[in-house]
Structures are given as C-alpha cells and as structure tokens.
PDB file of all heavy atoms in Angstrom:
ATOM      1  N   THR A 360     -31.456  25.677  60.319  1.00 90.00           N
ATOM      2  CA  THR A 360     -30.575  26.651  59.682  1.00 90.00           C
ATOM      3  C   THR A 360     -30.259  26.284  58.239  1.00 90.00           C
ATOM      4  O   THR A 360     -30.359  27.129  57.352  1.00 90.00           O
ATOM      5  CB  THR A 360     -29.263  26.786  60.488  1.00 90.00           C
ATOM      6  OG1 THR A 360     -29.596  27.152  61.823  1.00 90.00           O
ATOM      7  CG2 THR A 360     -28.357  27.830  59.888  1.00 90.00           C
ATOM      8  N   GLN A 361     -29.871  25.058  57.989  1.00 92.00           N
ATOM      9  CA  GLN A 361     -29.515  24.665  56.622  1.00 92.00           C
ATOM     10  C   GLN A 361     -30.701  24.815  55.673  1.00 92.00           C
ATOM     11  O   GLN A 361     -30.544  25.249  54.540  1.00 92.00           O
ATOM     12  CB  GLN A 361     -28.977  23.229  56.583  1.00 92.00           C
ATOM     13  CG  GLN A 361     -28.353  22.868  55.244  1.00 92.00           C
ATOM     14  CD  GLN A 361     -27.195  23.786  54.868  1.00 92.00           C
ATOM     15  OE1 GLN A 361     -26.277  24.005  55.655  1.00 92.00           O
ATOM     16  NE2 GLN A 361     -27.237  24.342  53.671  1.00 92.00           N
ATOM     17  N   GLU A 362     -31.904  24.490  56.150  1.00 91.00           N
ATOM     18  CA  GLU A 362     -33.092  24.647  55.305  1.00 91.00           C
ATOM     19  C   GLU A 362     -33.316  26.120  54.963  1.00 91.00           C
ATOM     20  O   GLU A 362     -33.677  26.452  53.830  1.00 91.00           O
ATOM     21  CB  GLU A 362     -34.342  24.072  55.990  1.00 91.00           C
ATOM     22  CG  GLU A 362     -34.350  22.568  56.090  1.00 91.00           C
ATOM     23  CD  GLU A 362     -33.752  22.050  57.386  1.00 91.00           C
ATOM     24  OE1 GLU A 362     -32.960  22.764  58.037  1.00 91.00           O
ATOM     25  OE2 GLU A 362     -34.066  20.921  57.756  1.00 91.00           O
ATOM     26  N   PHE A 363     -33.085  27.014  55.929  1.00 91.00           N
ATOM     27  CA  PHE A 363     -33.243  28.446  55.680  1.00 91.00           C
ATOM     28  C   PHE A 363     -32.215  28.934  54.656  1.00 91.00           C
ATOM     29  O   PHE A 363     -32.529  29.710  53.749  1.00 91.00           O
ATOM     30  CB  PHE A 363     -33.114  29.254  56.968  1.00 91.00           C
ATOM     31  CG  PHE A 363     -34.188  28.971  57.976  1.00 91.00           C
ATOM     32  CD1 PHE A 363     -33.913  28.990  59.326  1.00 91.00           C
ATOM     33  CD2 PHE A 363     -35.482  28.673  57.580  1.00 91.00           C
ATOM     34  CE1 PHE A 363     -34.905  28.731  60.268  1.00 91.00           C
ATOM     35  CE2 PHE A 363     -36.487  28.414  58.510  1.00 91.00           C
ATOM     36  CZ  PHE A 363     -36.192  28.443  59.850  1.00 91.00           C
ATOM     37  N   ILE A 364     -30.993  28.464  54.796  1.00 93.00           N
ATOM     38  CA  ILE A 364     -29.940  28.842  53.850  1.00 93.00           C
ATOM     39  C   ILE A 364     -30.301  28.353  52.457  1.00 93.00           C
ATOM     40  O   ILE A 364     -30.220  29.101  51.475  1.00 93.00           O
ATOM     41  CB  ILE A 364     -28.578  28.286  54.303  1.00 93.00           C
ATOM     42  CG1 ILE A 364     -28.118  28.987  55.587  1.00 93.00           C
ATOM     43  CG2 ILE A 364     -27.534  28.441  53.197  1.00 93.00           C
ATOM     44  CD1 ILE A 364     -26.920  28.349  56.257  1.00 93.00           C
ATOM     45  N   ASP A 365     -30.709  27.099  52.354  1.00 95.00           N
ATOM     46  CA  ASP A 365     -31.077  26.536  51.055  1.00 95.00           C
ATOM     47  C   ASP A 365     -32.249  27.285  50.438  1.00 95.00           C
ATOM     48  O   ASP A 365     -32.275  27.559  49.234  1.00 95.00           O
ATOM     49  CB  ASP A 365     -31.414  25.051  51.190  1.00 95.00           C
ATOM     50  CG  ASP A 365     -30.209  24.207  51.574  1.00 95.00           C
ATOM     51  OD1 ASP A 365     -29.066  24.680  51.414  1.00 95.00           O
ATOM     52  OD2 ASP A 365     -30.418  23.072  52.046  1.00 95.00           O
ATOM     53  N   SER A 366     -33.228  27.627  51.239  1.00 94.00           N
ATOM     54  CA  SER A 366     -34.393  28.356  50.761  1.00 94.00           C
ATOM     55  C   SER A 366     -33.991  29.731  50.229  1.00 94.00           C
ATOM     56  O   SER A 366     -34.464  30.164  49.176  1.00 94.00           O
ATOM     57  CB  SER A 366     -35.411  28.505  51.901  1.00 94.00           C
ATOM     58  OG  SER A 366     -36.498  29.274  51.481  1.00 94.00           O
ATOM     59  N   GLY A 367     -33.111  30.402  50.933  1.00 94.00           N
ATOM     60  CA  GLY A 367     -32.624  31.699  50.481  1.00 94.00           C
ATOM     61  C   GLY A 367     -31.838  31.589  49.190  1.00 94.00           C
ATOM     62  O   GLY A 367     -31.957  32.429  48.290  1.00 94.00           O
ATOM     63  N   TYR A 368     -31.055  30.528  49.069  1.00 95.00           N
ATOM     64  CA  TYR A 368     -30.274  30.309  47.850  1.00 95.00           C
ATOM     65  C   TYR A 368     -31.197  30.105  46.653  1.00 95.00           C
ATOM     66  O   TYR A 368     -31.016  30.706  45.596  1.00 95.00           O
ATOM     67  CB  TYR A 368     -29.352  29.102  48.030  1.00 95.00           C
ATOM     68  CG  TYR A 368     -28.535  28.790  46.804  1.00 95.00           C
ATOM     69  CD1 TYR A 368     -27.365  29.496  46.533  1.00 95.00           C
ATOM     70  CD2 TYR A 368     -28.926  27.795  45.913  1.00 95.00           C
ATOM     71  CE1 TYR A 368     -26.620  29.222  45.412  1.00 95.00           C
ATOM     72  CE2 TYR A 368     -28.185  27.516  44.789  1.00 95.00           C
ATOM     73  CZ  TYR A 368     -27.027  28.239  44.534  1.00 95.00           C
ATOM     74  OH  TYR A 368     -26.289  27.978  43.414  1.00 95.00           O
ATOM     75  N   VAL A 369     -32.199  29.278  46.818  1.00 96.00           N
ATOM     76  CA  VAL A 369     -33.154  29.009  45.734  1.00 96.00           C
ATOM     77  C   VAL A 369     -33.897  30.293  45.362  1.00 96.00           C
ATOM     78  O   VAL A 369     -34.075  30.605  44.176  1.00 96.00           O
ATOM     79  CB  VAL A 369     -34.137  27.887  46.140  1.00 96.00           C
ATOM     80  CG1 VAL A 369     -35.271  27.770  45.139  1.00 96.00           C
ATOM     81  CG2 VAL A 369     -33.402  26.557  46.266  1.00 96.00           C
ATOM     82  N   ALA A 370     -34.308  31.073  46.343  1.00 95.00           N
ATOM     83  CA  ALA A 370     -35.010  32.330  46.077  1.00 95.00           C
ATOM     84  C   ALA A 370     -34.106  33.295  45.305  1.00 95.00           C
ATOM     85  O   ALA A 370     -34.559  33.962  44.364  1.00 95.00           O
ATOM     86  CB  ALA A 370     -35.483  32.964  47.383  1.00 95.00           C
ATOM     87  N   ALA A 371     -32.842  33.364  45.671  1.00 94.00           N
ATOM     88  CA  ALA A 371     -31.903  34.239  44.968  1.00 94.00           C
ATOM     89  C   ALA A 371     -31.692  33.770  43.539  1.00 94.00           C
ATOM     90  O   ALA A 371     -31.638  34.579  42.606  1.00 94.00           O
ATOM     91  CB  ALA A 371     -30.572  34.295  45.716  1.00 94.00           C
ATOM     92  N   GLN A 372     -31.585  32.460  43.340  1.00 95.00           N
ATOM     93  CA  GLN A 372     -31.420  31.912  41.983  1.00 95.00           C
ATOM     94  C   GLN A 372     -32.602  32.308  41.101  1.00 95.00           C
ATOM     95  O   GLN A 372     -32.422  32.637  39.932  1.00 95.00           O
ATOM     96  CB  GLN A 372     -31.294  30.385  42.032  1.00 95.00           C
ATOM     97  CG  GLN A 372     -29.996  29.885  42.594  1.00 95.00           C
ATOM     98  CD  GLN A 372     -28.825  30.187  41.666  1.00 95.00           C
ATOM     99  OE1 GLN A 372     -28.967  30.325  40.474  1.00 95.00           O
ATOM    100  NE2 GLN A 372     -27.644  30.305  42.246  1.00 95.00           N
ATOM    101  N   ARG A 373     -33.790  32.285  41.650  1.00 96.00           N
ATOM    102  CA  ARG A 373     -34.982  32.653  40.882  1.00 96.00           C
ATOM    103  C   ARG A 373     -34.982  34.133  40.498  1.00 96.00           C
ATOM    104  O   ARG A 373     -35.619  34.520  39.530  1.00 96.00           O
ATOM    105  CB  ARG A 373     -36.242  32.338  41.688  1.00 96.00           C
ATOM    106  CG  ARG A 373     -36.504  30.868  41.827  1.00 96.00           C
ATOM    107  CD  ARG A 373     -37.785  30.624  42.596  1.00 96.00           C
ATOM    108  NE  ARG A 373     -37.985  29.198  42.799  1.00 96.00           N
ATOM    109  CZ  ARG A 373     -38.553  28.672  43.856  1.00 96.00           C
ATOM    110  NH1 ARG A 373     -39.023  29.444  44.820  1.00 96.00           N
ATOM    111  NH2 ARG A 373     -38.698  27.363  43.966  1.00 96.00           N
ATOM    112  N   LYS A 374     -34.308  34.964  41.258  1.00 94.00           N
ATOM    113  CA  LYS A 374     -34.318  36.407  41.037  1.00 94.00           C
ATOM    114  C   LYS A 374     -33.105  36.911  40.244  1.00 94.00           C
ATOM    115  O   LYS A 374     -32.979  38.116  40.024  1.00 94.00           O
ATOM    116  CB  LYS A 374     -34.357  37.138  42.385  1.00 94.00           C
ATOM    117  CG  LYS A 374     -35.628  36.938  43.164  1.00 94.00           C
ATOM    118  CD  LYS A 374     -36.722  37.753  42.558  1.00 94.00           C
ATOM    119  CE  LYS A 374     -37.954  37.745  43.451  1.00 94.00           C
ATOM    120  NZ  LYS A 374     -38.977  38.626  42.928  1.00 94.00           N
ATOM    121  N   ILE A 375     -32.217  36.028  39.818  1.00 92.00           N
ATOM    122  CA  ILE A 375     -30.982  36.474  39.162  1.00 92.00           C
ATOM    123  C   ILE A 375     -31.265  37.354  37.951  1.00 92.00           C
ATOM    124  O   ILE A 375     -30.648  38.403  37.776  1.00 92.00           O
ATOM    125  CB  ILE A 375     -30.091  35.271  38.785  1.00 92.00           C
ATOM    126  CG1 ILE A 375     -29.402  34.769  40.046  1.00 92.00           C
ATOM    127  CG2 ILE A 375     -29.053  35.654  37.738  1.00 92.00           C
ATOM    128  CD1 ILE A 375     -28.487  33.603  39.849  1.00 92.00           C
ATOM    129  N   ALA A 376     -32.203  36.967  37.094  1.00 90.00           N
ATOM    130  CA  ALA A 376     -32.507  37.783  35.919  1.00 90.00           C
ATOM    131  C   ALA A 376     -32.950  39.186  36.331  1.00 90.00           C
ATOM    132  O   ALA A 376     -32.544  40.187  35.724  1.00 90.00           O
ATOM    133  CB  ALA A 376     -33.579  37.105  35.077  1.00 90.00           C
ATOM    134  N   GLU A 377     -33.766  39.271  37.346  1.00 91.00           N
ATOM    135  CA  GLU A 377     -34.237  40.565  37.840  1.00 91.00           C
ATOM    136  C   GLU A 377     -33.093  41.370  38.457  1.00 91.00           C
ATOM    137  O   GLU A 377     -32.969  42.581  38.235  1.00 91.00           O
ATOM    138  CB  GLU A 377     -35.329  40.332  38.877  1.00 91.00           C
ATOM    139  CG  GLU A 377     -36.028  41.576  39.339  1.00 91.00           C
ATOM    140  CD  GLU A 377     -37.148  41.257  40.320  1.00 91.00           C
ATOM    141  OE1 GLU A 377     -37.781  40.182  40.217  1.00 91.00           O
ATOM    142  OE2 GLU A 377     -37.366  42.098  41.203  1.00 91.00           O
ATOM    143  N   ILE A 378     -32.234  40.708  39.183  1.00 88.00           N
ATOM    144  CA  ILE A 378     -31.095  41.369  39.824  1.00 88.00           C
ATOM    145  C   ILE A 378     -30.148  41.932  38.770  1.00 88.00           C
ATOM    146  O   ILE A 378     -29.628  43.035  38.911  1.00 88.00           O
ATOM    147  CB  ILE A 378     -30.352  40.384  40.761  1.00 88.00           C
ATOM    148  CG1 ILE A 378     -31.240  40.035  41.957  1.00 88.00           C
ATOM    149  CG2 ILE A 378     -29.020  40.953  41.215  1.00 88.00           C
ATOM    150  CD1 ILE A 378     -30.735  38.866  42.777  1.00 88.00           C
ATOM    151  N   ARG A 379     -29.959  41.190  37.677  1.00 84.00           N
ATOM    152  CA  ARG A 379     -29.035  41.640  36.628  1.00 84.00           C
ATOM    153  C   ARG A 379     -29.474  42.938  35.981  1.00 84.00           C
ATOM    154  O   ARG A 379     -28.659  43.645  35.402  1.00 84.00           O
ATOM    155  CB  ARG A 379     -28.859  40.545  35.588  1.00 84.00           C
ATOM    156  CG  ARG A 379     -28.017  39.425  36.130  1.00 84.00           C
ATOM    157  CD  ARG A 379     -27.552  38.509  35.055  1.00 84.00           C
ATOM    158  NE  ARG A 379     -26.705  37.478  35.696  1.00 84.00           N
ATOM    159  CZ  ARG A 379     -26.294  36.410  35.118  1.00 84.00           C
ATOM    160  NH1 ARG A 379     -26.618  36.170  33.877  1.00 84.00           N
ATOM    161  NH2 ARG A 379     -25.548  35.553  35.768  1.00 84.00           N
ATOM    162  N   GLN A 380     -30.727  43.277  36.058  1.00 86.00           N
ATOM    163  CA  GLN A 380     -31.203  44.549  35.515  1.00 86.00           C
ATOM    164  C   GLN A 380     -30.565  45.730  36.236  1.00 86.00           C
ATOM    165  O   GLN A 380     -30.455  46.817  35.672  1.00 86.00           O
ATOM    166  CB  GLN A 380     -32.727  44.650  35.637  1.00 86.00           C
ATOM    167  CG  GLN A 380     -33.479  43.657  34.797  1.00 86.00           C
ATOM    168  CD  GLN A 380     -34.979  43.741  35.031  1.00 86.00           C
ATOM    169  OE1 GLN A 380     -35.483  44.700  35.602  1.00 86.00           O
ATOM    170  NE2 GLN A 380     -35.687  42.719  34.594  1.00 86.00           N
ATOM    171  N   PHE A 381     -30.142  45.521  37.475  1.00 85.00           N
ATOM    172  CA  PHE A 381     -29.556  46.583  38.266  1.00 85.00           C
ATOM    173  C   PHE A 381     -28.039  46.668  38.115  1.00 85.00           C
ATOM    174  O   PHE A 381     -27.413  47.600  38.612  1.00 85.00           O
ATOM    175  CB  PHE A 381     -29.917  46.409  39.745  1.00 85.00           C
ATOM    176  CG  PHE A 381     -31.387  46.513  40.005  1.00 85.00           C
ATOM    177  CD1 PHE A 381     -32.153  45.374  40.177  1.00 85.00           C
ATOM    178  CD2 PHE A 381     -32.002  47.748  40.045  1.00 85.00           C
ATOM    179  CE1 PHE A 381     -33.516  45.465  40.405  1.00 85.00           C
ATOM    180  CE2 PHE A 381     -33.363  47.855  40.266  1.00 85.00           C
ATOM    181  CZ  PHE A 381     -34.127  46.711  40.447  1.00 85.00           C
ATOM    182  N   VAL A 382     -27.450  45.687  37.441  1.00 83.00           N
ATOM    183  CA  VAL A 382     -26.010  45.689  37.228  1.00 83.00           C
ATOM    184  C   VAL A 382     -25.730  46.613  36.047  1.00 83.00           C
ATOM    185  O   VAL A 382     -26.175  46.364  34.927  1.00 83.00           O
ATOM    186  CB  VAL A 382     -25.483  44.266  36.949  1.00 83.00           C
ATOM    187  CG1 VAL A 382     -23.994  44.302  36.634  1.00 83.00           C
ATOM    188  CG2 VAL A 382     -25.769  43.356  38.126  1.00 83.00           C
ATOM    189  N   LEU A 383     -25.026  47.695  36.300  1.00 78.00           N
ATOM    190  CA  LEU A 383     -24.801  48.696  35.270  1.00 78.00           C
ATOM    191  C   LEU A 383     -23.752  48.270  34.253  1.00 78.00           C
ATOM    192  O   LEU A 383     -23.837  48.618  33.086  1.00 78.00           O
ATOM    193  CB  LEU A 383     -24.396  50.021  35.915  1.00 78.00           C
ATOM    194  CG  LEU A 383     -25.426  50.594  36.893  1.00 78.00           C
ATOM    195  CD1 LEU A 383     -24.890  51.866  37.534  1.00 78.00           C
ATOM    196  CD2 LEU A 383     -26.740  50.854  36.184  1.00 78.00           C
ATOM    197  N   ASP A 384     -22.771  47.564  34.685  1.00 76.00           N
ATOM    198  CA  ASP A 384     -21.759  47.068  33.758  1.00 76.00           C
ATOM    199  C   ASP A 384     -21.186  45.774  34.303  1.00 76.00           C
ATOM    200  O   ASP A 384     -21.341  45.438  35.465  1.00 76.00           O
ATOM    201  CB  ASP A 384     -20.650  48.095  33.548  1.00 76.00           C
ATOM    202  CG  ASP A 384     -19.867  48.403  34.820  1.00 76.00           C
ATOM    203  OD1 ASP A 384     -20.280  47.963  35.900  1.00 76.00           O
ATOM    204  OD2 ASP A 384     -18.851  49.096  34.736  1.00 76.00           O
ATOM    205  N   SER A 385     -20.571  45.062  33.423  1.00 78.00           N
ATOM    206  CA  SER A 385     -19.917  43.845  33.876  1.00 78.00           C
ATOM    207  C   SER A 385     -18.503  43.846  33.314  1.00 78.00           C
ATOM    208  O   SER A 385     -18.224  44.451  32.286  1.00 78.00           O
ATOM    209  CB  SER A 385     -20.680  42.599  33.425  1.00 78.00           C
ATOM    210  OG  SER A 385     -20.755  42.562  32.019  1.00 78.00           O
ATOM    211  N   VAL A 386     -17.638  43.196  34.005  1.00 83.00           N
ATOM    212  CA  VAL A 386     -16.234  43.160  33.639  1.00 83.00           C
ATOM    213  C   VAL A 386     -15.853  41.701  33.423  1.00 83.00           C
ATOM    214  O   VAL A 386     -16.163  40.848  34.260  1.00 83.00           O
ATOM    215  CB  VAL A 386     -15.377  43.794  34.761  1.00 83.00           C
ATOM    216  CG1 VAL A 386     -13.911  43.731  34.431  1.00 83.00           C
ATOM    217  CG2 VAL A 386     -15.809  45.226  35.013  1.00 83.00           C
ATOM    218  N   SER A 387     -15.181  41.445  32.331  1.00 88.00           N
ATOM    219  CA  SER A 387     -14.752  40.075  32.056  1.00 88.00           C
ATOM    220  C   SER A 387     -13.659  39.687  33.057  1.00 88.00           C
ATOM    221  O   SER A 387     -12.986  40.553  33.623  1.00 88.00           O
ATOM    222  CB  SER A 387     -14.222  39.957  30.634  1.00 88.00           C
ATOM    223  OG  SER A 387     -12.960  40.605  30.534  1.00 88.00           O
ATOM    224  N   PRO A 388     -13.456  38.391  33.237  1.00 89.00           N
ATOM    225  CA  PRO A 388     -12.374  37.963  34.140  1.00 89.00           C
ATOM    226  C   PRO A 388     -11.014  38.527  33.719  1.00 89.00           C
ATOM    227  O   PRO A 388     -10.217  38.926  34.561  1.00 89.00           O
ATOM    228  CB  PRO A 388     -12.408  36.443  34.040  1.00 89.00           C
ATOM    229  CG  PRO A 388     -13.828  36.129  33.693  1.00 89.00           C
ATOM    230  CD  PRO A 388     -14.265  37.260  32.791  1.00 89.00           C
ATOM    231  N   ALA A 389     -10.753  38.586  32.411  1.00 94.00           N
ATOM    232  CA  ALA A 389      -9.469  39.124  31.933  1.00 94.00           C
ATOM    233  C   ALA A 389      -9.332  40.605  32.290  1.00 94.00           C
ATOM    234  O   ALA A 389      -8.255  41.055  32.706  1.00 94.00           O
ATOM    235  CB  ALA A 389      -9.337  38.927  30.428  1.00 94.00           C
ATOM    236  N   GLU A 390     -10.428  41.376  32.133  1.00 93.00           N
ATOM    237  CA  GLU A 390     -10.396  42.795  32.496  1.00 93.00           C
ATOM    238  C   GLU A 390     -10.179  42.974  33.992  1.00 93.00           C
ATOM    239  O   GLU A 390      -9.432  43.859  34.427  1.00 93.00           O
ATOM    240  CB  GLU A 390     -11.698  43.481  32.100  1.00 93.00           C
ATOM    241  CG  GLU A 390     -11.876  43.674  30.610  1.00 93.00           C
ATOM    242  CD  GLU A 390     -13.235  44.250  30.286  1.00 93.00           C
ATOM    243  OE1 GLU A 390     -14.251  43.590  30.581  1.00 93.00           O
ATOM    244  OE2 GLU A 390     -13.279  45.382  29.750  1.00 93.00           O
ATOM    245  N   ARG A 391     -10.846  42.139  34.785  1.00 92.00           N
ATOM    246  CA  ARG A 391     -10.703  42.227  36.240  1.00 92.00           C
ATOM    247  C   ARG A 391      -9.263  41.934  36.644  1.00 92.00           C
ATOM    248  O   ARG A 391      -8.681  42.635  37.479  1.00 92.00           O
ATOM    249  CB  ARG A 391     -11.669  41.266  36.930  1.00 92.00           C
ATOM    250  CG  ARG A 391     -11.659  41.405  38.442  1.00 92.00           C
ATOM    251  CD  ARG A 391     -12.670  40.506  39.136  1.00 92.00           C
ATOM    252  NE  ARG A 391     -12.438  39.097  38.865  1.00 92.00           N
ATOM    253  CZ  ARG A 391     -13.207  38.336  38.085  1.00 92.00           C
ATOM    254  NH1 ARG A 391     -14.260  38.837  37.496  1.00 92.00           N
ATOM    255  NH2 ARG A 391     -12.921  37.065  37.904  1.00 92.00           N
ATOM    256  N   ILE A 392      -8.668  40.925  36.040  1.00 95.00           N
ATOM    257  CA  ILE A 392      -7.271  40.572  36.346  1.00 95.00           C
ATOM    258  C   ILE A 392      -6.347  41.721  35.962  1.00 95.00           C
ATOM    259  O   ILE A 392      -5.429  42.080  36.705  1.00 95.00           O
ATOM    260  CB  ILE A 392      -6.887  39.259  35.641  1.00 95.00           C
ATOM    261  CG1 ILE A 392      -7.624  38.085  36.294  1.00 95.00           C
ATOM    262  CG2 ILE A 392      -5.383  39.041  35.671  1.00 95.00           C
ATOM    263  CD1 ILE A 392      -7.553  36.794  35.505  1.00 95.00           C
ATOM    264  N   ALA A 393      -6.584  42.330  34.775  1.00 96.00           N
ATOM    265  CA  ALA A 393      -5.747  43.440  34.323  1.00 96.00           C
ATOM    266  C   ALA A 393      -5.888  44.637  35.256  1.00 96.00           C
ATOM    267  O   ALA A 393      -4.887  45.288  35.599  1.00 96.00           O
ATOM    268  CB  ALA A 393      -6.121  43.831  32.893  1.00 96.00           C
ATOM    269  N   LYS A 394      -7.112  44.949  35.687  1.00 95.00           N
ATOM    270  CA  LYS A 394      -7.322  46.061  36.608  1.00 95.00           C
ATOM    271  C   LYS A 394      -6.645  45.802  37.949  1.00 95.00           C
ATOM    272  O   LYS A 394      -6.035  46.699  38.538  1.00 95.00           O
ATOM    273  CB  LYS A 394      -8.813  46.304  36.817  1.00 95.00           C
ATOM    274  CG  LYS A 394      -9.488  46.958  35.653  1.00 95.00           C
ATOM    275  CD  LYS A 394     -10.957  47.209  35.949  1.00 95.00           C
ATOM    276  CE  LYS A 394     -11.631  47.924  34.804  1.00 95.00           C
ATOM    277  NZ  LYS A 394     -12.979  48.370  35.129  1.00 95.00           N
ATOM    278  N   ARG A 395      -6.754  44.586  38.435  1.00 95.00           N
ATOM    279  CA  ARG A 395      -6.135  44.235  39.713  1.00 95.00           C
ATOM    280  C   ARG A 395      -4.612  44.347  39.619  1.00 95.00           C
ATOM    281  O   ARG A 395      -3.953  44.859  40.518  1.00 95.00           O
ATOM    282  CB  ARG A 395      -6.548  42.813  40.110  1.00 95.00           C
ATOM    283  CG  ARG A 395      -6.083  42.421  41.494  1.00 95.00           C
ATOM    284  CD  ARG A 395      -6.677  41.104  41.913  1.00 95.00           C
ATOM    285  NE  ARG A 395      -8.105  41.273  42.144  1.00 95.00           N
ATOM    286  CZ  ARG A 395      -8.995  40.298  42.028  1.00 95.00           C
ATOM    287  NH1 ARG A 395      -8.612  39.090  41.694  1.00 95.00           N
ATOM    288  NH2 ARG A 395     -10.262  40.517  42.267  1.00 95.00           N
ATOM    289  N   LYS A 396      -4.053  43.877  38.488  1.00 97.00           N
ATOM    290  CA  LYS A 396      -2.607  43.949  38.293  1.00 97.00           C
ATOM    291  C   LYS A 396      -2.149  45.408  38.229  1.00 97.00           C
ATOM    292  O   LYS A 396      -1.154  45.783  38.848  1.00 97.00           O
ATOM    293  CB  LYS A 396      -2.184  43.218  37.031  1.00 97.00           C
ATOM    294  CG  LYS A 396      -0.677  43.224  36.814  1.00 97.00           C
ATOM    295  CD  LYS A 396      -0.290  42.476  35.567  1.00 97.00           C
ATOM    296  CE  LYS A 396       1.188  42.461  35.295  1.00 97.00           C
ATOM    297  NZ  LYS A 396       2.000  43.541  35.764  1.00 97.00           N
ATOM    298  N   ALA A 397      -2.896  46.244  37.477  1.00 97.00           N
ATOM    299  CA  ALA A 397      -2.539  47.665  37.377  1.00 97.00           C
ATOM    300  C   ALA A 397      -2.574  48.324  38.749  1.00 97.00           C
ATOM    301  O   ALA A 397      -1.687  49.130  39.084  1.00 97.00           O
ATOM    302  CB  ALA A 397      -3.490  48.374  36.413  1.00 97.00           C
ATOM    303  N   PHE A 398      -3.573  47.994  39.553  1.00 96.00           N
ATOM    304  CA  PHE A 398      -3.666  48.537  40.905  1.00 96.00           C
ATOM    305  C   PHE A 398      -2.492  48.074  41.758  1.00 96.00           C
ATOM    306  O   PHE A 398      -1.835  48.878  42.433  1.00 96.00           O
ATOM    307  CB  PHE A 398      -4.986  48.119  41.547  1.00 96.00           C
ATOM    308  CG  PHE A 398      -5.103  48.527  42.988  1.00 96.00           C
ATOM    309  CD1 PHE A 398      -5.429  49.820  43.335  1.00 96.00           C
ATOM    310  CD2 PHE A 398      -4.889  47.598  44.001  1.00 96.00           C
ATOM    311  CE1 PHE A 398      -5.535  50.198  44.665  1.00 96.00           C
ATOM    312  CE2 PHE A 398      -4.986  47.962  45.329  1.00 96.00           C
ATOM    313  CZ  PHE A 398      -5.306  49.269  45.660  1.00 96.00           C
ATOM    314  N   ASN A 399      -2.213  46.780  41.724  1.00 95.00           N
ATOM    315  CA  ASN A 399      -1.131  46.240  42.548  1.00 95.00           C
ATOM    316  C   ASN A 399       0.239  46.731  42.103  1.00 95.00           C
ATOM    317  O   ASN A 399       1.142  46.867  42.919  1.00 95.00           O
ATOM    318  CB  ASN A 399      -1.182  44.715  42.564  1.00 95.00           C
ATOM    319  CG  ASN A 399      -2.297  44.192  43.438  1.00 95.00           C
ATOM    320  OD1 ASN A 399      -2.626  44.791  44.459  1.00 95.00           O
ATOM    321  ND2 ASN A 399      -2.902  43.098  43.038  1.00 95.00           N
ATOM    322  N   ASP A 400       0.395  47.012  40.806  1.00 95.00           N
ATOM    323  CA  ASP A 400       1.680  47.516  40.314  1.00 95.00           C
ATOM    324  C   ASP A 400       1.980  48.916  40.845  1.00 95.00           C
ATOM    325  O   ASP A 400       3.133  49.338  40.862  1.00 95.00           O
ATOM    326  CB  ASP A 400       1.695  47.532  38.781  1.00 95.00           C
ATOM    327  CG  ASP A 400       1.831  46.136  38.194  1.00 95.00           C
ATOM    328  OD1 ASP A 400       2.152  45.187  38.955  1.00 95.00           O
ATOM    329  OD2 ASP A 400       1.598  45.981  36.975  1.00 95.00           O
ATOM    330  N   LEU A 401       0.951  49.649  41.268  1.00 95.00           N
ATOM    331  CA  LEU A 401       1.150  50.995  41.816  1.00 95.00           C
ATOM    332  C   LEU A 401       1.632  50.972  43.266  1.00 95.00           C
ATOM    333  O   LEU A 401       2.144  51.975  43.760  1.00 95.00           O
ATOM    334  CB  LEU A 401      -0.155  51.801  41.738  1.00 95.00           C
ATOM    335  CG  LEU A 401      -0.657  52.121  40.335  1.00 95.00           C
ATOM    336  CD1 LEU A 401      -2.026  52.786  40.415  1.00 95.00           C
ATOM    337  CD2 LEU A 401       0.329  52.990  39.581  1.00 95.00           C
TER     338      LEU A 401
END
C-alpha cells in the first residue's frame, strides 16, 4: 500500500505543470482568508 501511495504521489508531482493548465484562476492566501471571513460574517 505505501509503495502504491508513494508512486501515485510521484506521478502527480510530475503532472503538476499540466494540471495547472486546467486551473482557471488562483486565489492568494490573503484573498482566501478575506473571502472566508466575509462568508462567516454573514
């Protein structure tokens, strides 16, 4: 099991650049915190 998990992790690491092509936008940690706070304040 651990070998399978490690193998999957390594395969995912190799594909990160390709995966990022599908990410339409990214949010900075500060923006995420502000959005979460605005949501929770409601």
Side-chain angles (χ1 to χ4, degrees):
T360 303
Q361 191 59 51
E362 290 92 338
F363 296 145
I364 292 169
D365 294 342
S366 176
Y368 179 81
V369 170
Q372 288 291 334
R373 289 182 184 147
K374 294 285 189 175
I375 283 180
E377 188 177 328
I378 292 168
R379 287 194 178 169
Q380 294 176 15
F381 297 101
V382 176
L383 301 177
D384 63 351
S385 60
V386 178
S387 72
E390 288 175 298
R391 185 177 60 252
I392 290 168
K394 286 182 177 189
R395 187 172 290 154
K396 182 179 179 332
F398 174 79
N399 285 326
D400 286 347
L401 294 174

